[in-house]
Amino acid sequence: MNLESDPTQAAAAPETPATPVRLLLVDDEPGLRTAVKAYLEDVGFAVTTANDGEEGWTVAQELLPDVILSDVMMPRCDGYGLLKKLRADERLGGTPVIFLTAKGMTADRIAGFQAGCDDYIPKPFDPDELVARVHNVVTRQQRLLAEAARFADADIGQLSKQITEIRSLLATGGTKKPATASEHVFTPREASVLQLVAEGMMNKEIARRLETSIRNVEKYVSRLFIKTGTASRTELVRYALEHGLVD
């Protein structure tokens, strides 16, 4: 990481929201933690740090950060181990994760994305690029949550009618496209949400059924949009039915 950039460059970064974005920085290098934390705080983020994946997991459960920046190679619990715990957690499963690592090979980047990270920045990196990428994932997450909330207010009768029509079309003329494990890797909670969406339930009903918050459901629906490449509940249901992902 090169921190010799002109400090005035930080002012050119996109404006942060009135409520600072909460970042959790997980890295076992003290010098890097200090430098990155200082730079990100200068541009308006609220930054909490952790020494490794094990401590990062503990802090994440208390902080519920908006974005997690994590090194990959760390003692006790590495970045992949931390990511696995996050994706399986009820409250943290939808949290964007950016990997910071010295590994820059294509195979390593692919491994990071397959593990479920949202972005991947090899060290050394430019701090302004890091800020831009953090803003990117925050903006994308906010947009997806807003989209999920908009569909949560959709007419349940109309959506149910569309789902019935999709099921009918598939039953009479379509064939299911087999889905391979590499194509769709859902957490148990994501799979449960997908099944309930396919049954025509809206977010409030899903939240009650799964005994969780509506915001958590919105996060899971957003992640399902990302993983399936869809942009609406109707598209998501059609995709799930066509690929045999739901009953």
Side-chain angles (χ1 to χ4, degrees):
M1 175 177 175
N2 177 16
L3 289 176
E4 298 301 321
S5 305
D6 184 348
T8 60
Q9 290 181 359
E15 291 185 7
T16 52
T19 301
V21 173
R22 294 167 301 168
L23 301 184
L24 172 58
L25 172 62
V26 186
D27 199 296
D28 61 330
E29 298 180 36
L32 185 141
R33 279 201 314 273
T34 300
V36 173
K37 181 177 188 292
Y39 196 90
L40 291 175
E41 288 180 337
D42 282 345
V43 296
F45 293 110
V47 184
T48 302
T49 63
N51 299 322
D52 55 37
E54 197 67 44
E55 183 180 0
W57 170 239
T58 300
V59 174
Q61 293 176 86
E62 299 174 355
L63 180 65
L64 299 180
D66 297 304
V67 179
I68 295 175
L69 309 176
S70 176
D71 189 19
V72 172
M73 303 304 293
M74 296 181 290
R76 295 203 299 168
C77 177
D78 63 13
Y80 295 115
L82 172 60
L83 183 58
K84 183 177 180 180
K85 290 182 178 182
L86 293 167
R87 293 295 179 249
D89 185 75
E90 166 67 25
R91 299 179 301 164
L92 296 164
T95 306
V97 176
I98 299 176
F99 274 161
L100 310 176
T101 176
K103 290 187 175 182
M105 301 297 290
T106 299
D108 297 316
R109 291 197 298 273
I110 291 174
F113 287 125
Q114 288 180 334
C117 74
D118 295 86
D119 205 349
Y120 190 108
I121 307 178
K123 301 173 185 176
F125 52 83
D126 185 285
D128 293 326
E129 179 184 0
L130 174 61
V131 170
R133 286 178 181 254
V134 171
H135 276 292
N136 233 18
V137 298
V138 169
T139 300
R140 183 174 61 190
Q141 184 79 346
Q142 291 173 340
R143 184 173 62 248
L144 288 169
L145 288 174
E147 185 73 4
R150 183 169 70 87
F151 281 103
D153 294 330
D155 178 61
I156 182 65
Q158 182 64 23
L159 181 60
S160 295
K161 180 180 178 181
Q162 291 172 339
I163 291 173
T164 300
E165 290 173 352
I166 293 170
R167 288 182 182 273
S168 177
L169 285 172
L170 291 174
T172 56
T175 57
K176 289 183 178 180
K177 303 172 185 178
T180 63
S182 60
E183 283 182 308
H184 308 105
V185 181
F186 300 133
T187 65
R189 182 59 60 149
E190 287 170 349
S192 296
V193 170
L194 180 58
Q195 179 63 48
L196 295 176
V197 169
E199 291 175 9
M201 292 190 183
M202 305 310 289
N203 290 353
K204 290 181 180 179
E205 296 174 295
I206 295 173
R208 286 196 296 268
R209 174 71 68 88
L210 300 180
E211 298 182 344
T212 186
S213 69
I214 294 175
R215 183 164 179 80
N216 277 337
V217 174
E218 290 172 353
K219 286 184 178 181
Y220 285 116
V221 172
S222 296
R223 293 203 68 81
L224 288 169
F225 286 164
I226 294 172
K227 289 187 175 183
T228 59
T230 56
S232 72
R233 294 175 86 94
T234 302
E235 287 182 17
L236 176 61
V237 172
R238 179 185 289 275
Y239 186 93
L241 290 170
E242 287 180 342
H243 289 78
L245 302 176
V246 295
D247 298 331

